[in-house]
Amino acid sequence: MGNHQGGVLLGLVAAMVMAGVLGAAAASMLGTSSLHGVRANYGERAYYLAESGFRYAASTLRSDADEFWELDGEEFIVAGGTFTLELAKLTEEEGYDAEAWVAGTQTVSNAPGERDLQIESGAQLAPRNGLFRYQGSWYRYREFSDDTLVAVIAAIPNRREVQGAQAINEEDDLPLKAGSVIPASDHVFLHNGVEYGYEEFAGGALRNISGDSDDFPLTLDDGEFLHFPALFPFTVQDQDVLEFAPVIQVRSIGEYPGDNSSLNVSRAVTYWFYDDAGFPLEISGDDEFVGDGEMIASDMDNFGEGPGASGKGAPLGKFGTVDEDGAPAIQLQGMNPGGQHPMTSLLYSGQVGPDYEVQVKVKIEQDLDPMAYMAGITFRLQGDGNTPGQLGKGLYGVSFVKGHPEASGNDAPSPEILAEIGKEEPHLVLWKTVGSGANFGAQPLAWHSLANSSIVNEEGRLLDWSTLLLRVQQLGESGGNRIQVLYGDHVVESISGDSDPYNDDIRITSPRGGLDNDGSQVLPWPPSDFGDWTEAVDYFTVTSIDVTDDSNDYKSDAAAEVGLHTWGHNLVECTGQGNSEVCDGKVFFDNFAVREAGQGDGGGAGYGGGYIPPIQQ
């Protein structure tokens, strides 16, 4: 598979650079300024060659690790140019440290100013994309600079092997393989997406196992894996030891036209991989989110209503396209204010993969009285229809939410949510359905206050066309999700940002209708790795909603699992009587877009860390 992919890449490179041959032939007839233009053109081709050399190496690594190392120093001739690969393993034998010592007591978290980790001077570590272990948990850093591990994040959950076949009941002990080191955690582990607790790890066993009674007995085979989430945030003490995993460095040098003439141009890129041989614990990789994201909010062919969800009187309503503030927008309509359930929903019928981002701009009419609202994105839908009973089978939602002391019943957000966030301040809330049938509720999983943020006013009203962005990543075939929530706006009209993804004070405007990209309109997206945040991409604010849920109920196996919703009869206004009655929503959506992740972890030779954007030279 890897060789086939590499061959395709080489063919694509040949097609891209073939035109350069004509430029070389005509160079003798060009003046000085034209020669500069030719060299610039050749520089771009040299970069493509370097990039293609890296991808050829990556493809080989994932299919055959032994063949990968044979590429070191090899030069490949492609359509008049070349690329040369330089491969290295950054291990102790090559002068890199396997351990380093903490310089002072520190807390590492997602809070501004608390994402870096200082270590004692003199350490020689991988410059980018490194991994280290502390108290049994693995963590990643974006780069190593000035004795600092920059932008530290928790790695995907670690795994440990079970000792012997077992059937575990509540309060039993669970033996693990000899030599197991349990990550510092909240005394929980995961098995097939189900969370269990334990009292302590002693004598090679997890003591006093606890959990939902319906999840027992816990039946395990010898050598089966348990997953332990890394503790994050975490605190290190002065002189604590950090253990570092080996890293593979791939440097690819592209040259065009590759004939050593005065017109020859060289470009290089360098990438770093995690070395799975030195990091034998399971991680799923940093999948890159790719593409501009198609704006499909006004294309009604991409939305489906489901059984029983069209026409007046349907409890979940329908949709319509209306002109709002000078442009088409989605309006959720047709909900019966006296219906079974206050949720109005529509589904995107396009296919999405297990890892994706979705964004939408939301406008809620400002004349709500009382000012209470709940509207946003639904996802991981498990039902096969849009009726209350089908929706109650399971879904997640992330919503702009605000309660009000005078709003209650079907004119208010979900009471389960308001019990956690109160009835005054606006929030972003991640929730999942509870209950069944037409009476399902919304259980809050995480929430982030929007009080004093740039997208609400002093009364808590959501400013028009504020952006909600959701990132969902499935954690393995057994299910479970990594869920992150961001927000942005188009009302500030700012053209500058800053490098702090958690800072709401300064942020680039995301205009309704998108950004101009050579005549086409595209939407901005955040970096795949929040550690790569810069002023130039600061269109969003990252919230504290950053959770992992490993429930098998929310695997990505529904054909239409993304949609939009409102919750509350007060968000629909009805006029007329009898057959002439019309119910229109007070919530509008626009710039709905989805982009999917390109799989960065392969799965061939076991190098699971993916790759990061290159340092270009």
Side-chain angles (χ1 to χ4, degrees), residues 53-54 57 68-69 71-76 83-89 248-253 268-271 617:
F54 157 70
F68 167 79
W69 289 109
L71 301 178
D72 184 32
E74 288 292 315
E75 181 182 77
F76 295 82
F83 64 77
T84 303
L85 296 172
E86 297 177 356
L87 313 177
K89 183 177 288 190
I248 293 174
Q249 178 177 286
V250 178
R251 177 177 167 84
S252 177
I253 303 99
V269 296
T270 305
Y271 286 81
Q617 299 172 325

Side-chain angles (χ1 to χ4, degrees), residues 130-417:
L131 288 171
F132 68 91
R133 182 166 59 182
Y134 176 70
Q135 293 187 347
S137 292
W138 285 95
Y139 301 90
R140 170 188 166 182
Y141 60 87
R142 186 186 69 192
E143 63 180 312
F144 177 55
S145 176
D146 296 328
D147 300 321
T148 302
L149 305 178
V150 178
V152 173
I153 61 174
I156 300 299
N158 306 274
R159 65 185 187 182
R160 302 294 184 268
E161 291 184 73
V162 171
Q163 177 63 55
Q166 306 171 44
I168 304 297
N169 293 308
E170 286 189 86
E171 300 184 355
D172 283 353
D173 296 339
L174 199 167
L176 302 182
K177 292 281 189 182
S180 295
V181 177
I182 301 302
S185 69
D186 295 323
H187 289 270
V188 297
F189 66 88
L190 308 168
H191 179 259
N192 287 338
V194 179
E195 183 176 286
Y196 298 86
Y198 63 93
E199 188 173 291
E200 63 175 340
F201 178 65
L206 302 173
R207 304 294 184 184
N208 193 16
I209 303 300
S210 60
D212 191 318
S213 58
D214 293 337
D215 295 325
F216 290 98
L218 170 57
T219 303
L220 301 163
D221 294 328
D222 181 43
E224 195 166 352
F225 287 112
L226 306 179
H227 298 256
F228 293 81
L231 184 64
F232 197 83
F234 64 101
T235 299
V236 295
Q237 304 298 321
D238 185 38
Q239 296 300 300
D240 278 350
V241 178
L242 308 179
E243 302 173 61
F244 290 83
V247 169
I248 293 174
Q249 178 177 286
V250 178
R251 177 177 167 84
S252 177
I253 303 99
E255 294 190 32
Y256 191 87
D259 56 5
N260 294 318
S261 70
S262 60
L263 292 176
N264 195 59
V265 179
S266 175
R267 294 290 184 269
V269 296
T270 305
Y271 286 81
W272 293 268
F273 287 85
Y274 312 147
D275 179 0
D276 207 35
F279 180 56
L281 309 178
E282 180 185 48
I283 61 175
S284 67
D286 289 326
D287 295 340
E288 296 290 326
F289 288 86
V290 296
D292 293 323
E294 181 185 6
M295 288 188 289
I296 51 180
S298 299
D299 183 358
M300 290 299 100
D301 292 337
N302 280 313
F303 289 93
E305 297 178 11
S310 61
K312 176 186 174 295
L316 297 183
K318 60 176 184 177
F319 58 82
T321 304
V322 296
D323 186 87
E324 186 66 20
D325 297 337
I330 290 176
Q331 181 186 45
L332 298 185
Q333 306 168 337
M335 185 176 70
N336 183 352
Q340 300 169 275
H341 200 278
M343 183 175 175
T344 307
S345 177
L346 64 91
L347 307 179
Y348 168 57
S349 60
Q351 299 292 319
V352 293
D355 299 344
Y356 59 83
E357 289 180 320
V358 58
Q359 65 170 290
V360 69
K361 288 184 171 64
V362 182
K363 175 183 177 181
I364 300 175
E365 288 190 4
Q366 299 296 304
D367 62 352
L368 296 181
D369 187 18
M371 173 51 66
Y373 54 79
M374 179 171 170
I377 299 169
T378 46
F379 63 104
R380 291 299 197 243
L381 175 69
Q382 292 300 292
D384 54 5
N386 204 21
T387 65
Q390 291 294 331
L391 283 177
K393 285 185 177 180
L395 60 86
Y396 280 164
V398 60
S399 311
F400 292 117
V401 181
K402 183 185 180 300
H404 193 282
E406 297 178 9
S408 61
N410 284 342
D411 286 337
S414 164
E416 297 93 342
I417 290 177

Side-chain angles (χ1 to χ4, degrees), residues 459-481:
E459 298 176 338
R461 297 175 184 268
L462 184 72
L463 297 186
D464 292 350
W465 306 116
S466 293
T467 302
L468 176 60
L469 188 144
L470 167 74
R471 175 178 290 181
V472 184
Q473 295 170 282
Q474 185 166 313
L475 305 180
E477 295 181 358
S478 63
N481 303 281

Side-chain angles (χ1 to χ4, degrees), residues 558-588:
E561 62 167 4
V562 180
L564 303 169
H565 69 265
T566 70
W567 188 301
H569 287 173
N570 66 313
L571 301 180
V572 174
E573 181 178 21
C574 294
T575 59
Q577 295 181 348
N579 293 333
S580 299
E581 185 179 23
V582 177
C583 297
D584 292 331
K586 294 187 175 184
V587 179
F588 304 90

Side-chain angles (χ1 to χ4, degrees), residues 47-134:
Y47 166 74
Y48 284 129
L49 284 163
E51 188 71 30
S52 298
F54 157 70
R55 297 185 184 278
Y56 181 73
S59 175
T60 304
L61 175 62
R62 290 167 182 153
S63 61
D64 190 329
D66 292 334
E67 184 179 345
F68 167 79
W69 289 109
E70 293 175 0
L71 301 178
D72 184 32
E74 288 292 315
E75 181 182 77
F76 295 82
I77 300 173
V78 184
T82 67
F83 64 77
T84 303
L85 296 172
E86 297 177 356
L87 313 177
K89 183 177 288 190
L90 309 188
T91 62
E92 285 188 285
E93 290 78 9
E94 300 298 326
Y96 289 83
D97 293 325
E99 293 182 341
W101 284 261
V102 173
T105 299
Q106 304 162 61
T107 296
V108 181
S109 72
N110 281 329
E114 296 183 359
R115 293 180 289 134
D116 299 346
L117 179 55
Q118 301 285 331
I119 62 175
E120 286 196 340
S121 62
Q124 183 71 17
L125 303 172
R128 300 274 293 185
N129 204 30
L131 288 171
F132 68 91
R133 182 166 59 182
Y134 176 70

Side-chain angles (χ1 to χ4, degrees), residues 509-533:
T509 296
S510 173
R512 184 184 178 201
L515 307 171
D516 182 74
N517 181 22
D518 295 330
S520 62
Q521 297 301 111
V522 299
L523 291 173
W525 297 92
S528 296
D529 182 347
F530 293 161
D532 292 330
W533 209 279

